Amino acid sequence: MILYAAIIASFLSSLYLFHRRRSCKHPLLFDYPILGMLPTLLFNLWRLHDFITEILTKHGGTGEFMGPWFTKMNYLVTCDSLNVQHMLCKRFDNYVKGHDFRDIFEPFGDGFGAADDETWKYIRNLLRSQMKQPRLKAFVDQTVQKKILTSLLPILDHAQQQGRVVDIQDVLVRFTSDNICLTTVGHDPKSLSVDFPEVAIEMAFRETEKSIFYRHTVPKTIWKLQKRLQIGQEKKMREAYKTFDEFIYALIASKREELSKCTKEEISEAPFNLLTVWMTEDEGLREHDDKFVRDSAFNFLVAGRGAMASTLTWFLWLVSKHPLVEAKILEEIRDNFKTNEKKNDDCGDHCFDEDHHNDNLDQEQYLKQSASGEALGMEEVTKLVYLHGALCEEIWGKDCLEFKPERWISDRGEIVYAPAYKFIAFNAGPRICLGKDLAFVQMKMVAAAILSKYCFKVVEGHVPTPTHSIVLLMKNGLKARIMKREV
């Protein structure tokens, strides 16, 4: 009986493998019995991004990943720009987000990040009209400049005077979180302050991102069961979800009460934020209820906080490793705005770390010190073409291992724009990010303000590695010492 059972098991396994390998025409990895391609992936988890890049390169940019048997975790993986163009541009209507996507990205609700069909078209048209408003650009310009002068630079100055190692990524995440919160709902969580407080809403966002990534890594039946039983990561998701909803619905109620007491003229003259716009937008299409406002706010906050912080973190790390690029950025700033910085700036020769330390300085003192300073505005940073190119340098082209901002600059000194389906940092096709240009100018404002005043020395032995998340942050942050740039 044991022999017969072994023969039957062997026969069934052979049938299973035959079926799997016939259905998987372009396998990325070796397909193990029962476990599929998971063992090889887990073995290389510590270098996942590099590993996937190597595998896709060997397979012409596209291949299939087959997960463990019965898990339904089978994927088509591609980095081929023609495939991207097909899905995001030419055959956009064939590739909807769908029910499974909305299930995983549950906290996004019916916002623009997860919506399909007529709901998506309505939101898209509404956002397009809002993003064109001069009031929005003026408000963002003012908000970013104020936040740079009253929070970002004072915090960096404080850390520099103390001589302490700072997680630059944490600083930038806090800055962008406060900034996008002000722009979206008119509220400043003040997570970027001298004592680096743990802000409930910010912690809720981080936990939500972890949970969404977790849902991508385990079979649907597992996380669905955890959700039903309210255990594990799903319990944390629910708590984070609740924290955000309490926060946003309280702001919505307060804003509705405030607006009910205002005339149209008073509303039009009030400080601008998207929460107010969503409640007062008169497009003659439909009334925006609290759920619509909540979903819109969540999608905007997620889109605006992590992505810019991630880009700026990797950018500053790369600049710290490439002094020639740093010198060119500083030269461009100096040539356009006649700063007093000396030429041939180099972090080794032209930066210093003050040797006096004062642990009793409070943020209020720094706010007063920074009040007389200036930060470049949106119109001004449009002149910084080389800085724009440096921010674009991601993994790109045949010489992608070189940090080469020049590839983004034409012979006439203008910015070179690559097709969105080849450079998909801001998506492509009908879903391309409407806030792309606004994001770039904000990042240029922050980068110019920081690099004009400071340079960084990454602590010895600190190796930045990408985190496993829906946002490509650094796993252990960016630990560095801050030094004032000599002028």
Side-chain angles (χ1 to χ4, degrees), residues 167-175 192 196 206 313 477-478:
D167 183 353
I168 303 300
Q169 178 171 268
D170 186 33
V171 171
L172 292 170
V173 168
R174 289 171 180 270
F175 173 85
L192 183 59
F196 288 84
R206 294 180 186 181
T313 300
L478 179 59

Side-chain angles (χ1 to χ4, degrees), residues 10 16 27 232 235 352 360 363 373 388 393 409-410 418 431 474:
S10 177
Y16 162 74
K235 181 180 180 181
F352 63 93
N360 297 318
Q363 189 172 16
H388 188 105
E393 271 294 87
I409 303 171
S410 70
R431 283 190 182 269
M474 290 186 179

Side-chain angles (χ1 to χ4, degrees), residues 109-152:
D110 293 322
F112 61 84
D116 279 320
D117 303 324
E118 295 305 315
T119 300
W120 171 77
K121 290 178 182 178
Y122 171 80
I123 297 172
R124 181 80 177 181
N125 290 333
L126 182 62
L127 291 178
R128 184 181 287 110
S129 67
Q130 292 169 351
M131 298 300 285
K132 290 180 180 178
Q133 290 191 27
R135 286 183 66 203
L136 173 62
K137 293 182 179 179
F139 179 73
V140 171
D141 192 4
Q142 179 185 20
T143 301
V144 174
Q145 289 191 59
K146 183 178 179 181
K147 200 68 183 175
I148 287 172
L149 292 174
T150 61
S151 294
L152 180 61

Side-chain angles (χ1 to χ4, degrees), residues 376-409:
L376 299 181
M378 285 186 176
E379 291 298 322
E380 295 165 312
V381 297
T382 56
K383 302 175 184 178
L384 303 178
V385 176
Y386 190 83
L387 175 59
H388 188 105
L391 284 165
C392 286
E393 271 294 87
E394 299 177 1
I395 300 172
W396 176 262
K398 294 180 180 179
D399 50 355
C400 60
L401 297 181
E402 295 181 39
F403 186 45
K404 189 176 167 183
E406 289 80 4
R407 78 176 87 234
W408 296 95
I409 303 171

Side-chain angles (χ1 to χ4, degrees), residues 305-317:
R305 56 182 292 281
M308 284 197 291
S310 171
T311 303
L312 286 166
T313 300
W314 289 102
F315 162 79
L316 289 174
W317 174 68

Side-chain angles (χ1 to χ4, degrees), residues 105-114 123 126-127 130-131 176-187 189 201-202 205 208-209 241 243-253 255-256 273-279 286 288-306:
F105 287 83
E106 178 186 359
F108 284 68
D110 293 322
F112 61 84
I123 297 172
L126 182 62
L127 291 178
Q130 292 169 351
M131 298 300 285
T176 54
S177 294
D178 288 353
N179 181 58
I180 194 64
C181 211
L182 273 165
T183 305
T184 304
V185 299
H187 172 76
I201 185 63
E202 176 59 23
F205 272 117
T208 300
E209 288 176 352
Y241 205 152
T243 297
F244 175 80
D245 281 359
E246 289 176 351
F247 164 78
I248 191 62
Y249 279 121
L251 285 176
I252 291 172
K255 179 60 68 175
R256 285 205 185 278
N273 62 70
L274 288 170
L275 194 70
T276 302
V277 173
W278 290 323
M279 292 181 180
R286 77 182 196 197
H288 297 157
D289 58 17
D290 287 0
K291 176 64 164 54
F292 177 92
V293 177
R294 179 263 174 221
D295 291 346
S296 299
F298 184 89
N299 281 252
F300 249 92
L301 291 170
V302 171
R305 56 182 292 281

